[in-house]
Amino acid sequence: MKKIAIVGAGGRAMQMFAVPLTAELKTDVELVGVYDVNPVRAQLLSSAANGMAVFDDFDQMIREAKPDAVIVTTPDSLHDYYIIRALEAGCDVISEKPMTTTADKCRAILEAERRTGKKVTVTFNCRFMPYVVRVKELLKEGAIGQIHSVALEWSLDKSHGADYFRRWHRQMDNSGGLLIHKSTHHFDMINWWLEDEPESVFANADLLFYGPTRAERGERCWTCRHQSTCEFHYDISESDFTRSMYQQAEQADGYYRDQCVFGDDIDIYDTMSVNVKYAKGTLLTYSLQAYSPYEGWKATFVGTKGRLEAEDYQSGFEKGEMNEIRLYNSEGERVTLHSRKASGGHGGGDPILRKMIFTDNVADPLGQRAGSRAGAMSLIIGAAANLSIEEKRLVAIRELLLEDSYGGMSAAFESN
């Protein structure tokens, strides 16, 4: 049985790890401790997960609980600090995505992993979604031949998208912006589909919808005088979860979960467009908006033998029970495949991911387990995109992540 500790007691820690692990994998995993700078949330997480020990110091937790691995679910900008501390203490690490937020921090994690001999795993849920997996299988089987171009359009609706502008994610120093915090999912999915690594990035982005774009705004929704007229009003007391985990925990650290989405301090982008050239020559066109009328994504692949189209929408459309994958051959013939939609978090991916990561001897023929290299290759596209936007130029990946810091440009997926 693996002894697991958790650092960072937010919603993700509770809903993705602590609660389901105690229910699904209690014969494989023992949760031995949790640490968070907010003791109220740490105690709530403990109570929801069979009363694991609560610690008020990370190092004390490592010394006394003696975990085999540490789950890192802190704000993104702190991932590197706790990943490296855990590695140096002799623990393996399971990190929420993104692995970290900058190229410098990424290099430090990779160096610590090599130096300590311990292992970092990054939880990329998209790799485990049955629909995404089916696309992977078709591409790997050569359904459209050698892939030359990919277009991925990702839309966040005004519920999901706005939420990033209420929370700590709204500041670049905390999250790296959506091109790192959110897009790392999408970039990893493309990297995994293609079995390739990025070579160069060019990007444009802006803050056009959220931020200080309207006069009628306040500090936070709870005290705002525009509650009755703002379509983005968020009642933090409406659910038991947000009321207990955030509103009633505010006095411990001063963090507001319901900050105004039109605040002056927001400095991340809400409209993004990225072009990526891969090492094998494939070209990616990627876009992300955080204020769409509907939520979902569409991917289009064009290869030497045809075209593949896949899409998955979570809101704004009649979803039905099935997803489609459309294949077009060189003669213009179309074959439509139907994939039944899976239940469970992240399109059915979360429970499969947990079993793969926390259970021994599970076969991994498609390379779904993601290590530090995959973590680096996904976040570094976002980091390069942020630099490209700032400096208005093409950015080569090797500028940010030197070859000797991650083992060279070849055989990327053999180590994950």
Side-chain angles (χ1 to χ4, degrees), residues 188-270:
D188 177 73
M189 190 167 72
I190 293 292
N191 295 349
W192 181 63
W193 272 336
L194 296 178
E195 298 188 5
D196 202 358
E197 294 185 337
E199 184 177 275
S200 62
V201 175
F202 184 81
N204 282 291
D206 211 338
L207 179 63
L208 299 174
F209 188 86
Y210 302 107
T213 58
R214 65 168 65 174
E216 298 81 13
R217 62 185 192 271
E219 180 185 11
R220 59 178 302 193
C221 289
W222 182 250
T223 58
C224 184
R225 61 190 178 92
H226 303 290
Q227 290 182 14
S228 62
T229 58
C230 181
E231 70 274 28
F232 290 95
H233 173 63
Y234 175 75
D235 186 354
I236 196 172
S237 68
E238 188 173 23
S239 77
D240 291 340
F241 180 79
T242 56
R243 184 169 59 253
S244 61
M245 281 289 281
Y246 297 104
Q247 187 181 36
Q248 295 174 358
E250 290 174 0
Q251 72 277 7
D253 60 7
Y255 171 62
Y256 298 152
R257 171 66 175 75
D258 63 340
Q259 298 170 77
C260 179
V261 300
F262 302 107
D264 292 316
D265 63 326
I266 296 172
D267 64 358
I268 66 172
Y269 311 119
D270 58 23

Coordinates of all heavy atoms in Angstrom, one line a residue, residues 188-270:
D188 N -0.6 19.3 -24.2 CA -0.2 17.9 -23.9 C -1.0 16.9 -24.7 O -0.4 15.9 -25.2 CB -0.3 17.6 -22.4 CG 0.0 16.1 -22.2 OD1 1.2 15.8 -22.2 OD2 -0.9 15.3 -22.0
M189 N -2.3 17.2 -24.9 CA -3.1 16.3 -25.7 C -2.6 16.3 -27.1 O -2.5 15.2 -27.7 CB -4.5 16.8 -25.7 CG -5.6 15.9 -26.3 SD -7.3 16.4 -25.8 CE -7.5 17.9 -26.9
I190 N -2.2 17.4 -27.7 CA -1.6 17.4 -29.1 C -0.3 16.7 -29.1 O 0.0 15.9 -30.0 CB -1.5 18.9 -29.5 CG1 -2.9 19.5 -29.7 CG2 -0.7 18.9 -30.9 CD1 -3.7 19.0 -30.8
N191 N 0.6 17.0 -28.1 CA 1.9 16.4 -28.1 C 1.7 14.9 -28.1 O 2.4 14.1 -28.8 CB 2.7 16.8 -26.9 CG 3.1 18.3 -26.9 OD1 2.9 19.0 -27.9 ND2 3.5 18.8 -25.8
W192 N 0.8 14.4 -27.3 CA 0.5 13.0 -27.1 C -0.1 12.4 -28.4 O 0.3 11.3 -28.8 CB -0.4 12.8 -25.9 CG -0.7 11.3 -25.5 CD1 0.2 10.3 -25.2 CD2 -2.0 10.8 -25.5 NE1 -0.5 9.2 -24.9 CE2 -1.8 9.4 -25.1 CE3 -3.3 11.3 -25.8 CZ2 -2.9 8.5 -25.0 CZ3 -4.4 10.4 -25.6 CH2 -4.2 9.1 -25.3
W193 N -1.0 13.0 -28.9 CA -1.6 12.6 -30.2 C -0.5 12.4 -31.3 O -0.5 11.4 -32.0 CB -2.7 13.5 -30.7 CG -4.1 13.3 -30.1 CD1 -4.6 12.1 -29.7 CD2 -5.1 14.3 -30.0 NE1 -5.9 12.3 -29.3 CE2 -6.3 13.6 -29.5 CE3 -5.2 15.6 -30.4 CZ2 -7.5 14.3 -29.3 CZ3 -6.4 16.3 -30.1 CH2 -7.5 15.6 -29.6
L194 N 0.3 13.4 -31.4 CA 1.3 13.5 -32.5 C 2.5 12.6 -32.2 O 3.3 12.3 -33.1 CB 1.8 14.9 -32.7 CG 0.7 15.9 -33.3 CD1 1.3 17.3 -33.4 CD2 0.1 15.4 -34.6
E195 N 2.8 12.3 -30.9 CA 4.0 11.7 -30.4 C 5.2 12.5 -30.9 O 6.1 12.0 -31.6 CB 4.1 10.2 -30.9 CG 3.0 9.4 -30.3 CD 3.2 7.9 -30.6 OE1 4.2 7.5 -31.1 OE2 2.3 7.1 -30.2
D196 N 5.1 13.8 -30.7 CA 6.2 14.7 -31.1 C 6.4 15.8 -30.1 O 5.6 16.0 -29.1 CB 5.7 15.3 -32.5 CG 6.9 15.8 -33.3 OD1 8.0 15.8 -32.8 OD2 6.6 16.3 -34.4
E197 N 7.4 16.7 -30.3 CA 7.7 17.7 -29.4 C 7.7 19.1 -30.2 O 8.1 19.1 -31.4 CB 9.1 17.5 -28.8 CG 9.1 16.3 -27.9 CD 10.4 16.1 -27.1 OE1 11.4 16.7 -27.6 OE2 10.4 15.5 -26.1
P198 N 7.4 20.2 -29.5 CA 7.4 21.5 -30.1 C 8.8 22.0 -30.4 O 9.8 21.7 -29.7 CB 6.7 22.4 -29.0 CG 7.1 21.7 -27.8 CD 7.0 20.2 -28.0
E199 N 8.9 22.7 -31.5 CA 10.2 23.3 -31.9 C 10.2 24.8 -31.8 O 11.2 25.4 -31.4 CB 10.5 22.8 -33.4 CG 11.8 23.3 -33.9 CD 12.1 22.7 -35.3 OE1 12.6 21.6 -35.4 OE2 11.8 23.5 -36.2
S200 N 9.1 25.4 -32.2 CA 9.0 26.9 -32.2 C 7.5 27.3 -32.0 O 6.6 26.6 -32.4 CB 9.6 27.6 -33.4 OG 8.9 27.2 -34.6
V201 N 7.4 28.6 -31.5 CA 6.0 29.1 -31.1 C 5.9 30.5 -31.5 O 6.9 31.3 -31.3 CB 5.8 28.9 -29.6 CG1 4.4 29.5 -29.2 CG2 5.8 27.4 -29.2
F202 N 4.8 30.9 -32.1 CA 4.4 32.3 -32.3 C 3.0 32.5 -31.8 O 2.1 31.7 -32.1 CB 4.6 32.7 -33.7 CG 4.3 34.2 -33.9 CD1 5.3 35.1 -33.7 CD2 3.0 34.7 -34.3 CE1 5.1 36.5 -33.8 CE2 2.8 36.0 -34.5 CZ 3.8 36.9 -34.2
A203 N 2.7 33.6 -31.1 CA 1.4 33.8 -30.5 C 1.0 35.2 -30.4 O 1.8 36.1 -30.4 CB 1.4 33.2 -29.0
N204 N -0.3 35.4 -30.4 CA -0.9 36.7 -30.1 C -2.0 36.5 -29.0 O -2.6 35.4 -29.0 CB -1.6 37.3 -31.4 CG -0.6 37.9 -32.3 OD1 0.0 38.9 -32.0 ND2 -0.4 37.3 -33.4
A205 N -2.2 37.5 -28.2 CA -3.3 37.4 -27.2 C -3.6 38.8 -26.6 O -2.8 39.7 -26.8 CB -2.8 36.5 -26.1
D206 N -4.7 38.9 -26.0 CA -5.1 40.1 -25.3 C -6.2 39.9 -24.3 O -6.8 38.8 -24.2 CB -5.7 41.1 -26.4 CG -5.4 42.6 -26.0 OD1 -5.2 42.9 -24.9 OD2 -5.4 43.4 -27.0
L207 N -6.4 40.9 -23.4 CA -7.5 40.9 -22.4 C -8.5 41.8 -23.0 O -8.4 43.0 -22.9 CB -6.9 41.3 -21.1 CG -7.9 41.4 -19.9 CD1 -8.5 40.1 -19.6 CD2 -7.3 42.1 -18.7
L208 N -9.6 41.2 -23.5 CA -10.6 42.0 -24.3 C -12.0 42.0 -23.6 O -12.7 43.0 -23.9 CB -10.7 41.5 -25.7 CG -9.5 41.5 -26.5 CD1 -9.7 40.7 -27.9 CD2 -9.0 42.9 -26.8
F209 N -12.3 41.0 -22.8 CA -13.6 40.9 -22.3 C -13.7 41.1 -20.8 O -14.5 41.9 -20.3 CB -14.2 39.5 -22.6 CG -15.6 39.3 -22.3 CD1 -16.6 39.7 -23.2 CD2 -16.0 38.7 -21.1 CE1 -17.9 39.5 -22.9 CE2 -17.3 38.6 -20.8 CZ -18.3 38.9 -21.7
Y210 N -12.8 40.5 -20.0 CA -12.8 40.6 -18.6 C -11.8 41.8 -18.3 O -11.4 42.5 -19.1 CB -12.3 39.3 -17.9 CG -13.2 38.2 -18.2 CD1 -12.8 37.1 -19.1 CD2 -14.5 38.1 -17.7 CE1 -13.7 36.1 -19.4 CE2 -15.4 37.0 -18.0 CZ -14.9 36.0 -18.8 OH -15.8 35.0 -19.1
G211 N -11.4 41.9 -17.0 CA -10.6 43.0 -16.6 C -11.4 44.3 -16.5 O -12.6 44.3 -16.6
P212 N -10.7 45.4 -16.5 CA -11.4 46.7 -16.3 C -12.1 47.2 -17.5 O -11.7 48.3 -18.1 CB -10.2 47.7 -15.8 CG -9.0 47.1 -16.5 CD -9.2 45.6 -16.4
T213 N -13.0 46.5 -18.0 CA -13.7 46.8 -19.3 C -15.1 47.5 -19.0 O -15.8 47.8 -20.0 CB -13.9 45.6 -20.2 OG1 -14.6 44.6 -19.4 CG2 -12.5 45.0 -20.6
R214 N -15.5 47.6 -17.8 CA -16.8 48.2 -17.5 C -16.7 49.0 -16.1 O -15.9 48.6 -15.2 CB -17.9 47.2 -17.4 CG -17.8 46.2 -16.3 CD -19.1 45.4 -16.1 NE -19.5 44.6 -17.2 CZ -20.5 43.7 -17.2 NH1 -21.3 43.6 -16.2 NH2 -20.7 43.0 -18.3
A215 N -17.5 50.0 -16.0 CA -17.4 50.9 -14.9 C -18.1 50.3 -13.7 O -17.8 50.5 -12.5 CB -18.1 52.2 -15.2
E216 N -19.2 49.4 -13.9 CA -19.9 48.8 -12.8 C -19.2 47.6 -12.3 O -19.5 46.5 -12.8 CB -21.3 48.5 -13.3 CG -22.2 49.6 -13.8 CD -21.8 50.1 -15.3 OE1 -21.1 49.3 -16.0 OE2 -22.2 51.1 -15.7
R217 N -18.3 47.8 -11.4 CA -17.6 46.7 -10.8 C -17.2 47.0 -9.3 O -17.3 48.1 -8.9 CB -16.3 46.4 -11.6 CG -15.3 47.5 -11.7 CD -14.2 47.2 -12.6 NE -13.0 48.0 -12.5 CZ -12.9 49.1 -13.3 NH1 -13.8 49.5 -14.1 NH2 -11.8 49.9 -13.1
G218 N -16.9 45.9 -8.6 CA -16.5 46.1 -7.2 C -15.3 45.2 -6.9 O -14.6 44.7 -7.8
E219 N -15.0 45.1 -5.7 CA -13.8 44.2 -5.3 C -14.1 42.8 -5.4 O -13.3 42.0 -5.8 CB -13.4 44.6 -3.9 CG -12.2 43.8 -3.4 CD -11.8 44.0 -1.9 OE1 -12.6 44.7 -1.2 OE2 -10.7 43.5 -1.5
R220 N -15.4 42.4 -4.9 CA -15.8 41.0 -4.9 C -17.3 41.0 -5.0 O -18.0 41.9 -4.6 CB -15.3 40.3 -3.6 CG -15.8 41.0 -2.3 CD -15.3 40.2 -1.1 NE -15.8 38.8 -1.1 CZ -15.7 38.0 0.0 NH1 -15.2 38.5 1.1 NH2 -16.1 36.8 -0.1
C221 N -17.8 39.8 -5.4 CA -19.3 39.7 -5.6 C -20.0 39.8 -4.2 O -21.1 40.4 -4.2 CB -19.6 38.3 -6.2 SG -19.1 38.2 -8.0
W222 N -19.5 39.3 -3.2 CA -20.2 39.2 -1.9 C -20.6 40.6 -1.4 O -21.7 40.8 -0.8 CB -19.4 38.5 -0.8 CG -20.0 38.4 0.5 CD1 -19.7 39.0 1.7 CD2 -21.1 37.5 0.8 NE1 -20.6 38.6 2.7 CE2 -21.4 37.7 2.2 CE3 -21.9 36.6 0.0 CZ2 -22.5 37.0 2.8 CZ3 -22.9 35.9 0.7 CH2 -23.2 36.1 2.0
T223 N -19.8 41.6 -1.6 CA -20.0 43.0 -1.1 C -20.4 44.0 -2.2 O -20.5 45.1 -2.0 CB -18.8 43.5 -0.4 OG1 -17.7 43.5 -1.2 CG2 -18.5 42.6 0.8
C224 N -20.5 43.5 -3.5 CA -20.7 44.4 -4.6 C -22.1 45.0 -4.7 O -23.1 44.3 -4.5 CB -20.4 43.7 -5.9 SG -20.5 44.7 -7.4
R225 N -22.2 46.3 -4.9 CA -23.5 46.9 -5.0 C -24.2 46.7 -6.4 O -25.3 47.1 -6.6 CB -23.4 48.4 -4.8 CG -22.5 49.2 -5.7 CD -22.2 50.6 -5.2 NE -21.3 51.3 -6.1 CZ -21.7 52.1 -7.0 NH1 -23.0 52.3 -7.3 NH2 -20.9 52.8 -7.8
H226 N -23.5 46.0 -7.3 CA -24.1 45.7 -8.6 C -24.6 44.3 -8.7 O -24.8 43.8 -9.8 CB -23.0 46.0 -9.7 CG -22.5 47.4 -9.7 ND1 -23.2 48.5 -10.0 CD2 -21.3 47.8 -9.3 CE1 -22.5 49.6 -9.9 NE2 -21.3 49.2 -9.5
Q227 N -24.8 43.6 -7.6 CA -25.2 42.2 -7.6 C -26.4 41.9 -8.4 O -26.5 41.0 -9.2 CB -25.4 41.7 -6.2 CG -24.2 41.6 -5.3 CD -24.5 41.1 -3.9 OE1 -25.6 40.6 -3.7 NE2 -23.6 41.2 -3.0
S228 N -27.4 42.8 -8.3 CA -28.7 42.5 -8.9 C -28.7 42.7 -10.5 O -29.6 42.3 -11.2 CB -29.8 43.4 -8.3 OG -29.5 44.8 -8.5
T229 N -27.7 43.4 -11.0 CA -27.6 43.7 -12.4 C -26.5 43.1 -13.1 O -26.4 43.1 -14.4 CB -27.5 45.3 -12.6 OG1 -26.3 45.8 -11.9 CG2 -28.8 46.0 -12.1
C230 N -25.5 42.5 -12.4 CA -24.4 41.9 -13.1 C -24.6 40.4 -13.4 O -24.9 39.6 -12.5 CB -23.1 42.0 -12.2 SG -21.6 41.3 -12.9
E231 N -24.5 40.1 -14.7 CA -24.7 38.7 -15.1 C -23.6 37.8 -14.7 O -23.7 36.5 -14.8 CB -24.8 38.6 -16.7 CG -23.6 38.9 -17.4 CD -23.3 40.4 -17.7 OE1 -23.7 41.2 -16.9 OE2 -22.6 40.7 -18.7
F232 N -22.5 38.3 -14.1 CA -21.4 37.5 -13.6 C -21.4 37.4 -12.1 O -20.5 36.9 -11.5 CB -20.1 38.0 -14.1 CG -19.9 37.8 -15.6 CD1 -20.2 38.9 -16.5 CD2 -19.4 36.6 -16.1 CE1 -20.0 38.7 -17.9 CE2 -19.2 36.5 -17.5 CZ -19.5 37.5 -18.3
H233 N -22.5 37.9 -11.5 CA -22.6 37.8 -10.0 C -22.4 36.3 -9.6 O -23.1 35.4 -10.1 CB -23.9 38.3 -9.5 CG -24.0 38.1 -8.0 ND1 -23.2 38.6 -7.1 CD2 -25.0 37.4 -7.3 CE1 -23.6 38.3 -5.9 NE2 -24.7 37.5 -6.0
Y234 N -21.6 36.1 -8.6 CA -21.3 34.7 -8.1 C -21.6 34.7 -6.6 O -20.9 35.4 -5.8 CB -19.8 34.4 -8.4 CG -19.4 33.0 -7.9 CD1 -19.8 31.8 -8.5 CD2 -18.5 33.0 -6.8 CE1 -19.3 30.6 -8.0 CE2 -18.0 31.8 -6.3 CZ -18.5 30.6 -6.9 OH -18.0 29.4 -6.4
D235 N -22.5 33.9 -6.2 CA -22.9 33.8 -4.8 C -22.1 32.7 -4.1 O -22.4 31.5 -4.2 CB -24.4 33.5 -4.6 CG -24.9 33.6 -3.2 OD1 -24.0 33.7 -2.3 OD2 -26.1 33.5 -3.0
I236 N -21.0 33.1 -3.4 CA -20.1 32.1 -2.7 C -20.8 31.3 -1.6 O -20.4 30.2 -1.3 CB -18.9 32.8 -2.2 CG1 -17.8 31.8 -1.9 CG2 -19.2 33.7 -1.0 CD1 -16.5 32.5 -1.6
S237 N -21.9 31.8 -1.1 CA -22.7 31.1 -0.1 C -23.7 30.2 -0.6 O -24.4 29.5 0.2 CB -23.3 32.2 0.9 OG -24.4 32.8 0.2
E238 N -23.9 30.1 -1.9 CA -25.0 29.3 -2.5 C -24.8 27.8 -2.2 O -25.8 27.1 -2.0 CB -25.1 29.6 -4.0 CG -26.3 29.0 -4.6 CD -26.5 29.5 -6.0 OE1 -25.5 29.9 -6.7 OE2 -27.6 29.4 -6.5
S239 N -23.6 27.3 -2.3 CA -23.4 25.9 -2.1 C -22.7 25.6 -0.8 O -21.9 26.5 -0.3 CB -22.6 25.3 -3.2 OG -21.2 25.6 -3.1
D240 N -22.9 24.5 -0.2 CA -22.3 24.1 1.1 C -20.7 24.1 0.9 O -20.0 24.5 1.8 CB -22.8 22.8 1.6 CG -24.2 22.8 2.0 OD1 -24.7 23.9 2.3 OD2 -24.8 21.8 2.1
F241 N -20.3 23.6 -0.3 CA -18.9 23.4 -0.6 C -18.2 24.8 -0.6 O -17.2 25.0 0.1 CB -18.7 22.7 -1.9 CG -17.2 22.5 -2.2 CD1 -16.5 21.5 -1.6 CD2 -16.6 23.3 -3.1 CE1 -15.2 21.3 -1.9 CE2 -15.3 23.1 -3.4 CZ -14.5 22.1 -2.8
T242 N -18.6 25.7 -1.4 CA -17.9 27.0 -1.5 C -18.1 27.8 -0.2 O -17.2 28.5 0.1 CB -18.4 27.8 -2.7 OG1 -19.8 28.0 -2.6 CG2 -18.1 27.1 -4.0
R243 N -19.2 27.6 0.5 CA -19.4 28.4 1.7 C -18.4 27.9 2.8 O -17.7 28.7 3.4 CB -20.8 28.2 2.2 CG -21.1 29.0 3.5 CD -22.6 29.1 3.8 NE -23.1 27.7 4.0 CZ -23.9 27.1 3.2 NH1 -24.3 27.7 2.0 NH2 -24.4 25.9 3.4
S244 N -18.2 26.6 2.9 CA -17.3 26.1 4.0 C -15.9 26.1 3.6 O -15.0 26.5 4.4 CB -17.7 24.6 4.3 OG -17.6 23.8 3.2
M245 N -15.6 25.8 2.3 CA -14.2 25.7 1.9 C -13.6 27.1 1.6 O -12.3 27.2 1.7 CB -14.1 24.9 0.6 CG -14.1 23.4 0.8 SD -12.6 22.7 1.5 CE -11.5 22.7 0.1
Y246 N -14.4 28.1 1.3 CA -13.8 29.4 0.9 C -14.3 30.5 1.8 O -13.6 31.2 2.5 CB -14.0 29.6 -0.6 CG -13.3 28.6 -1.4 CD1 -14.0 27.5 -2.0 CD2 -11.9 28.6 -1.6 CE1 -13.4 26.6 -2.8 CE2 -11.3 27.7 -2.3 CZ -12.0 26.6 -2.9 OH -11.3 25.7 -3.6
Q247 N -15.6 30.7 1.8 CA -16.2 31.9 2.5 C -15.8 31.8 4.0 O -15.3 32.8 4.6 CB -17.7 32.0 2.3 CG -18.2 33.3 3.0 CD -19.7 33.4 2.8 OE1 -20.4 32.4 2.8 NE2 -20.2 34.6 2.6
Q248 N -16.0 30.6 4.6 CA -15.8 30.5 6.0 C -14.3 30.3 6.4 O -13.9 30.2 7.5 CB -16.6 29.3 6.6 CG -18.1 29.6 6.5 CD -19.0 28.5 6.9 OE1 -18.5 27.4 7.2 NE2 -20.3 28.7 6.9
A249 N -13.5 30.2 5.3 CA -12.0 30.0 5.5 C -11.3 31.3 5.3 O -10.0 31.3 5.4 CB -11.5 28.9 4.6
E250 N -12.0 32.4 4.9 CA -11.3 33.6 4.5 C -10.5 34.2 5.6 O -9.4 34.8 5.3 CB -12.4 34.6 4.0 CG -13.0 34.3 2.7 CD -14.1 35.3 2.3 OE1 -14.4 36.2 3.1 OE2 -14.7 35.1 1.3
Q251 N -11.0 34.1 6.8 CA -10.3 34.8 7.9 C -8.9 34.2 8.1 O -8.0 34.8 8.7 CB -11.1 34.7 9.2 CG -11.1 33.3 9.9 CD -12.2 32.4 9.3 OE1 -12.8 32.7 8.3 NE2 -12.4 31.2 9.9
A252 N -8.6 33.0 7.6 CA -7.3 32.3 7.9 C -6.2 32.8 7.0 O -5.1 32.8 7.3 CB -7.5 30.8 7.7
D253 N -6.6 33.2 5.7 CA -5.6 33.7 4.8 C -5.9 34.9 4.0 O -5.1 35.4 3.1 CB -5.1 32.5 3.9 CG -6.3 32.0 3.0 OD1 -7.4 32.6 3.0 OD2 -6.0 31.0 2.3
G254 N -7.2 35.4 4.1 CA -7.6 36.6 3.4 C -7.8 36.4 1.9 O -8.0 37.3 1.1
Y255 N -8.0 35.1 1.5 CA -8.2 34.8 0.1 C -9.7 34.9 -0.2 O -10.5 34.2 0.4 CB -7.7 33.4 -0.3 CG -8.1 33.0 -1.7 CD1 -7.7 33.7 -2.8 CD2 -8.8 31.8 -1.9 CE1 -8.0 33.3 -4.1 CE2 -9.2 31.4 -3.1 CZ -8.8 32.1 -4.2 OH -9.2 31.7 -5.5
Y256 N -10.1 35.7 -1.3 CA -11.5 35.7 -1.7 C -11.7 34.9 -3.0 O -11.0 35.1 -4.0 CB -11.9 37.2 -2.0 CG -11.8 38.1 -0.8 CD1 -11.6 39.5 -1.0 CD2 -12.0 37.7 0.5 CE1 -11.5 40.4 0.1 CE2 -11.9 38.5 1.5 CZ -11.7 39.9 1.3 OH -11.6 40.7 2.4
R257 N -12.6 34.0 -2.9 CA -12.9 33.1 -4.0 C -13.9 33.7 -5.1 O -14.0 33.2 -6.2 CB -13.5 31.8 -3.5 CG -14.1 30.8 -4.5 CD -13.0 30.2 -5.3 NE -13.6 29.2 -6.2 CZ -14.3 29.4 -7.3 NH1 -14.6 30.6 -7.7 NH2 -14.7 28.4 -8.0
D258 N -14.4 34.9 -4.7 CA -15.4 35.6 -5.6 C -15.0 37.0 -6.0 O -15.8 37.9 -6.0 CB -16.8 35.6 -4.9 CG -16.7 36.4 -3.6 OD1 -15.6 36.7 -3.1 OD2 -17.8 36.9 -3.1
Q259 N -13.7 37.2 -6.4 CA -13.3 38.5 -6.8 C -14.0 38.9 -8.1 O -14.4 38.0 -8.9 CB -11.8 38.5 -7.0 CG -11.0 38.2 -5.7 CD -9.5 37.9 -5.9 OE1 -8.8 38.8 -6.1 NE2 -9.1 36.6 -5.9
C260 N -14.0 40.2 -8.3 CA -14.8 40.7 -9.5 C -14.0 40.4 -10.8 O -12.8 40.6 -10.9 CB -14.9 42.2 -9.4 SG -15.7 43.0 -10.8
V261 N -14.7 39.8 -11.8 CA -14.1 39.4 -13.0 C -13.7 40.7 -13.9 O -13.0 40.5 -14.9 CB -15.0 38.5 -13.9 CG1 -15.3 37.2 -13.1 CG2 -16.3 39.2 -14.3
F262 N -14.1 41.8 -13.4 CA -13.7 43.1 -14.1 C -12.7 43.9 -13.3 O -12.6 45.1 -13.5 CB -15.0 43.9 -14.4 CG -16.0 43.2 -15.3 CD1 -17.1 42.7 -14.7 CD2 -15.7 42.9 -16.6 CE1 -18.0 42.0 -15.5 CE2 -16.6 42.2 -17.4 CZ -17.8 41.7 -16.8
G263 N -12.0 43.2 -12.4 CA -11.0 43.9 -11.5 C -9.8 44.5 -12.3 O -9.4 44.0 -13.3
D264 N -9.3 45.5 -11.6 CA -8.1 46.2 -12.2 C -6.9 45.4 -12.2 O -5.9 45.7 -12.9 CB -7.9 47.5 -11.4 CG -9.0 48.6 -11.6 OD1 -9.4 48.7 -12.8 OD2 -9.4 49.2 -10.6
D265 N -6.8 44.4 -11.3 CA -5.5 43.7 -11.1 C -5.4 42.5 -12.0 O -4.4 41.8 -12.0 CB -5.4 43.2 -9.6 CG -6.5 42.3 -9.2 OD1 -7.6 42.4 -9.7 OD2 -6.3 41.3 -8.4
I266 N -6.4 42.2 -12.8 CA -6.3 41.1 -13.8 C -5.3 41.4 -14.9 O -5.4 42.4 -15.5 CB -7.7 40.8 -14.4 CG1 -8.7 40.4 -13.3 CG2 -7.6 39.8 -15.5 CD1 -10.1 40.2 -13.8
D267 N -4.3 40.5 -15.1 CA -3.3 40.7 -16.1 C -3.1 39.5 -17.0 O -2.1 39.5 -17.8 CB -2.0 41.2 -15.5 CG -1.3 40.1 -14.6 OD1 -1.9 39.0 -14.4 OD2 -0.2 40.4 -14.1
I268 N -4.0 38.5 -16.9 CA -3.9 37.4 -17.9 C -4.8 37.7 -19.1 O -5.6 38.6 -19.1 CB -4.4 36.1 -17.2 CG1 -5.8 36.1 -16.8 CG2 -3.5 35.8 -15.9 CD1 -6.4 34.7 -16.3
Y269 N -4.6 36.9 -20.1 CA -5.4 37.1 -21.4 C -6.7 36.3 -21.3 O -6.8 35.2 -20.7 CB -4.5 36.6 -22.6 CG -3.1 37.2 -22.6 CD1 -2.0 36.3 -22.5 CD2 -2.9 38.5 -22.6 CE1 -0.7 36.8 -22.5 CE2 -1.6 39.1 -22.6 CZ -0.5 38.2 -22.6 OH 0.7 38.7 -22.6
D270 N -7.7 36.7 -22.1 CA -8.9 36.0 -22.3 C -9.1 35.6 -23.7 O -10.0 34.8 -24.0 CB -10.1 36.7 -21.7 CG -10.3 38.1 -22.4 OD1 -9.8 38.3 -23.5 OD2 -11.0 38.9 -21.7

